[in-house]
PDB file of all heavy atoms in Angstrom:
ATOM      1  N   SER A 431      22.196   6.273-202.530  1.00  0.00           N
ATOM      2  CA  SER A 431      22.281   4.825-202.449  1.00  0.00           C
ATOM      3  C   SER A 431      22.627   4.375-201.025  1.00  0.00           C
ATOM      4  O   SER A 431      23.534   4.927-200.397  1.00  0.00           O
ATOM      5  CB  SER A 431      23.337   4.302-203.423  1.00  0.00           C
ATOM      6  OG  SER A 431      24.573   4.828-203.069  1.00  0.00           O
ATOM      7  N   HIS A 451       7.098  26.430-177.541  1.00  0.00           N
ATOM      8  CA  HIS A 451       8.158  27.459-177.554  1.00  0.00           C
ATOM      9  C   HIS A 451       7.514  28.818-177.826  1.00  0.00           C
ATOM     10  O   HIS A 451       7.858  29.823-177.190  1.00  0.00           O
ATOM     11  CB  HIS A 451       9.179  27.178-178.668  1.00  0.00           C
ATOM     12  CG  HIS A 451      10.203  26.141-178.342  1.00  0.00           C
ATOM     13  ND1 HIS A 451      11.146  26.303-177.357  1.00  0.00           N
ATOM     14  CD2 HIS A 451      10.464  24.927-178.893  1.00  0.00           C
ATOM     15  CE1 HIS A 451      11.942  25.244-177.307  1.00  0.00           C
ATOM     16  NE2 HIS A 451      11.538  24.390-178.231  1.00  0.00           N
ATOM     17  N   GLU A 469       5.232  34.335-187.276  1.00  0.00           N
ATOM     18  CA  GLU A 469       6.276  34.436-188.319  1.00  0.00           C
ATOM     19  C   GLU A 469       7.630  34.695-187.650  1.00  0.00           C
ATOM     20  O   GLU A 469       8.645  34.123-188.048  1.00  0.00           O
ATOM     21  CB  GLU A 469       5.960  35.558-189.323  1.00  0.00           C
ATOM     22  CG  GLU A 469       4.807  35.252-190.273  1.00  0.00           C
ATOM     23  CD  GLU A 469       3.447  35.191-189.572  1.00  0.00           C
ATOM     24  OE1 GLU A 469       3.211  36.012-188.647  1.00  0.00           O
ATOM     25  OE2 GLU A 469       2.636  34.309-189.927  1.00  0.00           O
ATOM     26  N   LEU A 489      14.046  42.567-182.380  1.00  0.00           N
ATOM     27  CA  LEU A 489      12.772  43.013-182.955  1.00  0.00           C
ATOM     28  C   LEU A 489      12.355  44.386-182.409  1.00  0.00           C
ATOM     29  O   LEU A 489      11.333  44.932-182.813  1.00  0.00           O
ATOM     30  CB  LEU A 489      11.660  41.996-182.651  1.00  0.00           C
ATOM     31  CG  LEU A 489      11.777  40.628-183.319  1.00  0.00           C
ATOM     32  CD1 LEU A 489      10.737  39.664-182.762  1.00  0.00           C
ATOM     33  CD2 LEU A 489      11.618  40.762-184.822  1.00  0.00           C
ATOM     34  N   ALA A 525       1.518   8.305-187.246  1.00  0.00           N
ATOM     35  CA  ALA A 525       2.263   8.104-188.503  1.00  0.00           C
ATOM     36  C   ALA A 525       3.765   8.284-188.277  1.00  0.00           C
ATOM     37  O   ALA A 525       4.583   7.625-188.928  1.00  0.00           O
ATOM     38  CB  ALA A 525       1.763   9.081-189.562  1.00  0.00           C
ATOM     39  N   ILE A 552      11.654  15.430-173.282  1.00  0.00           N
ATOM     40  CA  ILE A 552      10.549  15.329-174.253  1.00  0.00           C
ATOM     41  C   ILE A 552      10.435  13.889-174.772  1.00  0.00           C
ATOM     42  O   ILE A 552       9.339  13.329-174.865  1.00  0.00           O
ATOM     43  CB  ILE A 552      10.770  16.330-175.418  1.00  0.00           C
ATOM     44  CG1 ILE A 552      10.710  17.769-174.901  1.00  0.00           C
ATOM     45  CG2 ILE A 552       9.761  16.105-176.544  1.00  0.00           C
ATOM     46  CD1 ILE A 552      11.225  18.825-175.882  1.00  0.00           C
ATOM     47  N   GLY A 557       7.385   8.858-174.777  1.00  0.00           N
ATOM     48  CA  GLY A 557       7.628   7.437-175.054  1.00  0.00           C
ATOM     49  C   GLY A 557       8.384   7.217-176.358  1.00  0.00           C
ATOM     50  O   GLY A 557       8.379   6.122-176.916  1.00  0.00           O
ATOM     51  N   MET A 583      27.888  14.684-184.183  1.00  0.00           N
ATOM     52  CA  MET A 583      27.891  13.860-182.965  1.00  0.00           C
ATOM     53  C   MET A 583      26.884  12.718-183.093  1.00  0.00           C
ATOM     54  O   MET A 583      27.151  11.590-182.661  1.00  0.00           O
ATOM     55  CB  MET A 583      27.550  14.709-181.735  1.00  0.00           C
ATOM     56  CG  MET A 583      28.580  15.757-181.384  1.00  0.00           C
ATOM     57  SD  MET A 583      30.134  15.046-180.855  1.00  0.00           S
ATOM     58  CE  MET A 583      29.714  14.438-179.248  1.00  0.00           C
ATOM     59  N   PRO A 625      17.541  26.248-200.297  1.00  0.00           N
ATOM     60  CA  PRO A 625      18.224  25.755-201.509  1.00  0.00           C
ATOM     61  C   PRO A 625      19.085  24.514-201.288  1.00  0.00           C
ATOM     62  O   PRO A 625      19.361  23.781-202.247  1.00  0.00           O
ATOM     63  CB  PRO A 625      19.090  26.943-201.955  1.00  0.00           C
ATOM     64  CG  PRO A 625      19.155  27.868-200.783  1.00  0.00           C
ATOM     65  CD  PRO A 625      17.916  27.642-199.970  1.00  0.00           C
ATOM     66  N   ARG A 630      12.479  17.557-200.886  1.00  0.00           N
ATOM     67  CA  ARG A 630      11.381  18.292-200.225  1.00  0.00           C
ATOM     68  C   ARG A 630      10.293  17.298-199.885  1.00  0.00           C
ATOM     69  O   ARG A 630       9.886  16.503-200.752  1.00  0.00           O
ATOM     70  CB  ARG A 630      10.817  19.352-201.173  1.00  0.00           C
ATOM     71  CG  ARG A 630      11.821  20.414-201.439  1.00  0.00           C
ATOM     72  CD  ARG A 630      11.364  21.492-202.402  1.00  0.00           C
ATOM     73  NE  ARG A 630      12.398  22.525-202.401  1.00  0.00           N
ATOM     74  CZ  ARG A 630      13.518  22.443-203.116  1.00  0.00           C
ATOM     75  NH1 ARG A 630      13.735  21.423-203.924  1.00  0.00           N
ATOM     76  NH2 ARG A 630      14.428  23.400-203.018  1.00  0.00           N
ATOM     77  N   LYS A 633       5.428  15.560-195.266  1.00  0.00           N
ATOM     78  CA  LYS A 633       5.195  14.968-193.950  1.00  0.00           C
ATOM     79  C   LYS A 633       6.267  13.913-193.679  1.00  0.00           C
ATOM     80  O   LYS A 633       6.889  13.395-194.626  1.00  0.00           O
ATOM     81  CB  LYS A 633       3.787  14.371-193.853  1.00  0.00           C
ATOM     82  CG  LYS A 633       3.369  13.532-195.028  1.00  0.00           C
ATOM     83  CD  LYS A 633       1.861  13.335-195.042  1.00  0.00           C
ATOM     84  CE  LYS A 633       1.412  12.355-196.122  1.00  0.00           C
ATOM     85  NZ  LYS A 633       1.933  12.529-197.465  1.00  0.00           N
ATOM     86  N   VAL A 643      13.492  -0.153-199.330  1.00  0.00           N
ATOM     87  CA  VAL A 643      14.217  -1.310-198.792  1.00  0.00           C
ATOM     88  C   VAL A 643      15.309  -1.747-199.748  1.00  0.00           C
ATOM     89  O   VAL A 643      15.112  -1.764-200.940  1.00  0.00           O
ATOM     90  CB  VAL A 643      13.263  -2.504-198.592  1.00  0.00           C
ATOM     91  CG1 VAL A 643      13.915  -3.534-197.677  1.00  0.00           C
ATOM     92  CG2 VAL A 643      11.938  -2.077-198.064  1.00  0.00           C
TER      93      VAL A 643
END
Side-chain angles (χ1 to χ4, degrees):
S431 62
H451 280 295
E469 288 68 38
L489 293 171
I552 295 167
M583 294 294 287
R630 293 178 173 82
K633 46 197 187 312
V643 196

